[in-house]
């Protein structure tokens, strides 16, 4: 008996991504899985039903049908209560679950004995790189942040030598040089800006420099566990404030991406720093989803503070839905290979760190 895999239209407002793209469907079909999708599931990400059909999927009229006929359900956003209602007990659900935000949905799934795995909990180990959806989607967000900054700015990014004079390039400061920050640096460099970057992890210095940007050296180091940054002490925050206040005024564009696992994003850009920025400067705060790195950020809004535009975009990966879905779909495909044997049996081996750490519910028990 082959395993049935299903995916549906994402109904969360502004979510355009889809869990599987036709290329991955073809790979799953070739491995012996049966794939079901709700009619039009990939439309918003520009993947059409015909391509899915040609890749071997079966198109069903409703989400309810796709959910109830599948043993494995793939999602981008957490399932809604109605969706959970339509899923059979003992099925597997894999997606971004945001368990801290929707504990009642986790309880509902546990009560129904739906097994659930969260893509945001995949450990950041070398073996899991091809499954690491946080990274694939952060890369999209970092790229898009630089493009939005260039679009919002009233200045060129590159230097321009014209008959009408020489235009100086924009100066971009990237705060936080993790996956998103490095992509924002690379994209700003490709557009010709002078880029500086700052992080509390010294390990990123070489990566920043290899992208042609300058690493802003500060005496502050805050490496935490697992390669992440840790939260700063009050004394360190004051030190960071003095350091950033000296540097931020030079930037035309600030792209901030700093995060600390399990905490609100650290406030790094304070109101007094914004007051020191040139009018016409732009702050793109992609940590907005998690509270923001700028004291003045209003998630999802653009605000004008004394001529400085501060934008805290939400769900940037959805704005590049075709490629973000392609990357996410590959992450899911690689996860499914771990979870199953030859498309025929589900094999949850909790000796595997990746399955152990990403599991949220198993056989009715909440594991987190
Ligand atoms: P993240 O989203 O947690 O944070 C973004 C960046 O903000 C990080 O570089 C962090 O150091 C920085 N930051 C936090 N607090 C700060 C502060 N107060 N001031 C300035 N900068 C601050 O990071 P991420 O992109 O998820 O990456 C985190 C780590 O995971 C990195 O070490 C990365 O190399 C590693 N990683 C490993 C793998 C893998 O091996 N599979 C994959 C992806 C990332």
């Amino acid at each position: 008996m082959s395993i049935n895999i299903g995916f549906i239209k994402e109904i969360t407002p502004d979510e355009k991504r889809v869990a599987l793209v036709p290329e991955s469907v073809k790979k799953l079909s070739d491995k012996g899985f049966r794939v079901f999708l709700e009619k039009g599931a990939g439309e918003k990400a520009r993947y059409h039903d015909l391509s899915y059909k040609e890749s071997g999927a079966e198109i069903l009229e409703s989400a309810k049908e796709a959910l109830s006929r599948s043993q494995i359900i793939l999602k981008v956003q957490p399932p809604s209560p109605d969706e959970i209602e339509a899923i059979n007990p003992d099925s597997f659900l894999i997606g971004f679950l945001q368990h801290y935000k929707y504990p009642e949905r986790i309880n509902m799934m546990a009560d129904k004995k739906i097994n659930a795995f969260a893509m945001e909990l995949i450990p950041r180990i070398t073996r899991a790189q091809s499954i690491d959806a946080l990274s694939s989607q952060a890369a999209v967000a970092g790229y898009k942040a630089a493009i939005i900054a260039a679009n919002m700015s009233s200045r060129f990014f590159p230097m321009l030598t014209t008959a009408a004079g020489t235009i100086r390039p924009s100066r971009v400061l990237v705060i936080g040089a993790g996956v998103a920050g490095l992509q924002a640096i690379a994209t700003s460099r490709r557009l010709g800006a002078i880029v500086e970057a700052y992080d509390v992890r010294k390990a990123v210095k070489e990566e920043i420099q290899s992208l042609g940007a300058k690493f802003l050296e500060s005496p502050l180091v805050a490496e935490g566990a697992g390669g992440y940054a840790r939260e700063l002490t009050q004394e360190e925050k004051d030190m960071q404030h003095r350091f950033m206040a000296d540097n931020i005024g030079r930037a035309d564009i600030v792209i901030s991406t700093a995060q600390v696992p399990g905490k609100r994003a650290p406030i790094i850009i304070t109101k007094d720093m914004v007051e020191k920025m040139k009018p016409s400067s732009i702050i793109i705060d992609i940590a907005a989803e998690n509270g923001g790195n700028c004291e003045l950020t209003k998630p999802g809004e653009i605000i004008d503070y004394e001529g400085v535009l501060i934008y805290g975009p939400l769900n940037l990966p959805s704005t590049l839905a075709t490629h973000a879905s392609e990357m996410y779909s590959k992450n899911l495909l690689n996860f499914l290979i771990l979870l199953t044997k030859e498309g025929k049996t589900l094999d949850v081996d909790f000796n595997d760190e990746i399955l152990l750490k990403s599991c949220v519910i198993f056989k009715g028990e909440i594991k987190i």
Side-chain angles (χ1 to χ4, degrees):
M1 273 290 279
S2 59
I3 296 175
N4 294 351
I5 296 182
F7 61 100
I8 56 174
K9 236 181 262 176
E10 294 292 328
I11 53 166
T12 304
D14 297 327
E15 183 53 79
K16 294 187 179 144
R17 289 170 293 174
V18 62
L20 279 187
V21 303
E23 193 189 328
S24 307
V25 169
K26 169 91 176 59
K27 290 199 172 122
L28 289 168
S29 305
D30 290 348
K31 282 185 187 297
F33 291 98
R34 263 182 98 182
V35 184
F36 297 109
L37 68 136
E38 176 191 5
K39 188 173 76 178
E43 284 305 316
K44 286 196 225 150
R46 309 269 181 224
Y47 296 103
H48 302 297
D49 286 349
L50 186 61
S51 311
Y52 284 112
K53 213 169 166 181
E54 285 168 355
S55 306
E58 294 168 52
I59 319 273
L60 301 176
E61 278 307 308
S62 69
K64 204 171 167 192
E65 224 183 320
L67 294 171
S68 63
R69 286 181 66 177
S70 304
Q71 286 143 284
I72 302 180
I73 290 124
L74 304 176
K75 289 270 300 143
V76 179
Q77 294 285 344
S80 70
D82 283 348
E83 287 165 354
I84 296 171
E85 206 54 65
I87 301 173
N88 292 322
D90 301 323
S91 304
F92 283 69
L93 184 128
I94 308 161
F96 286 111
L97 297 184
Q98 302 180 35
H99 57 88
Y100 46 88
K101 201 167 163 190
Y102 301 109
E104 74 293 350
R105 298 190 196 183
I106 300 295
N107 289 336
M108 202 178 157
M109 283 194 279
D111 289 346
K112 271 201 86 176
K113 297 216 164 25
I114 297 167
N115 304 305
F117 289 81
M119 290 303 278
E120 69 269 34
L121 297 182
I122 299 289
R124 315 298 281 279
I125 54 173
T126 307
R127 192 168 59 84
Q129 272 178 357
S130 65
I131 307 175
D132 185 350
L134 279 184
S135 285
S136 70
Q137 304 305 294
V140 175
Y143 162 84
K144 199 61 191 276
I147 300 291
I148 291 173
N151 194 30
M152 280 175 66
S153 177
S154 52
R155 298 165 182 274
F156 280 108
F157 262 39
M159 185 175 98
L160 231 65
T161 308
T162 75
T166 300
I167 301 287
R168 280 184 297 118
S170 288
R171 299 185 78 96
V172 175
L173 169 63
V174 175
I175 300 175
V179 181
L182 290 171
Q183 209 44 246
I185 295 169
T187 309
S188 303
R189 287 287 302 137
R190 284 183 204 118
L191 290 172
I194 295 174
V195 184
E196 294 182 322
Y198 168 71
D199 200 297
V200 287
R201 291 183 302 120
K202 291 289 170 272
V204 291
K205 179 176 175 177
E206 266 179 39
E207 287 174 276
I208 291 170
Q209 289 174 338
S210 73
L211 293 170
K214 183 180 165 199
F215 179 56
L216 285 182
E217 295 264 8
S218 110
L220 180 60
V221 182
E223 320 239 353
Y228 287 103
R230 61 165 171 78
E231 199 174 20
L232 304 185
T233 61
Q234 190 53 49
E235 197 184 330
E236 288 171 328
K237 283 182 190 162
D238 295 343
M239 199 200 281
Q240 178 166 74
H241 182 266
R242 285 192 294 276
F243 180 76
M244 290 313 290
D246 287 342
N247 284 293
I248 219 157
R250 287 202 308 269
D252 300 301
I253 310 279
V254 176
I255 300 174
S256 68
T257 75
Q259 302 272 5
V260 175
K263 308 261 180 216
R264 184 209 185 281
I267 300 264
I268 299 173
I269 311 162
T270 49
K271 196 165 127 199
D272 58 304
M273 289 184 202
V274 177
E275 281 161 2
K276 281 193 183 159
M277 293 178 79
K278 290 169 260 179
S280 84
S281 304
I282 311 276
I283 299 173
I284 306 292
D285 185 355
I286 67 171
E289 203 100 41
N290 217 350
N293 293 141
C294 176
E295 196 180 346
L296 300 170
T297 294
K298 291 209 171 99
E301 290 181 34
I302 299 177
I303 62 157
D304 183 336
Y305 186 80
E306 297 181 2
V308 178
L309 296 182
I310 305 162
Y311 179 33
L314 298 174
N315 198 357
L316 278 180
S318 168
T319 66
L320 216 78
T322 305
H323 274 156
S325 302
E326 182 179 326
M327 294 161 93
Y328 182 61
S329 173
K330 281 197 186 131
N331 297 144
L332 285 174
L333 181 69
N334 290 320
F335 188 80
L336 285 175
I337 291 168
L338 272 192
L339 193 65
T340 58
K341 277 212 177 88
E342 288 147 23
K344 293 196 172 55
T345 44
L346 275 156
D347 174 29
V348 190
D349 176 5
F350 283 123
N351 290 317
D352 186 325
E353 184 187 356
I354 300 173
L355 295 179
L356 180 72
K357 294 206 167 141
S358 59
C359 184
V360 175
I361 309 165
F362 194 65
K363 297 199 166 154
E365 193 188 329
I366 298 178
K367 299 278 193 185
I368 36 152

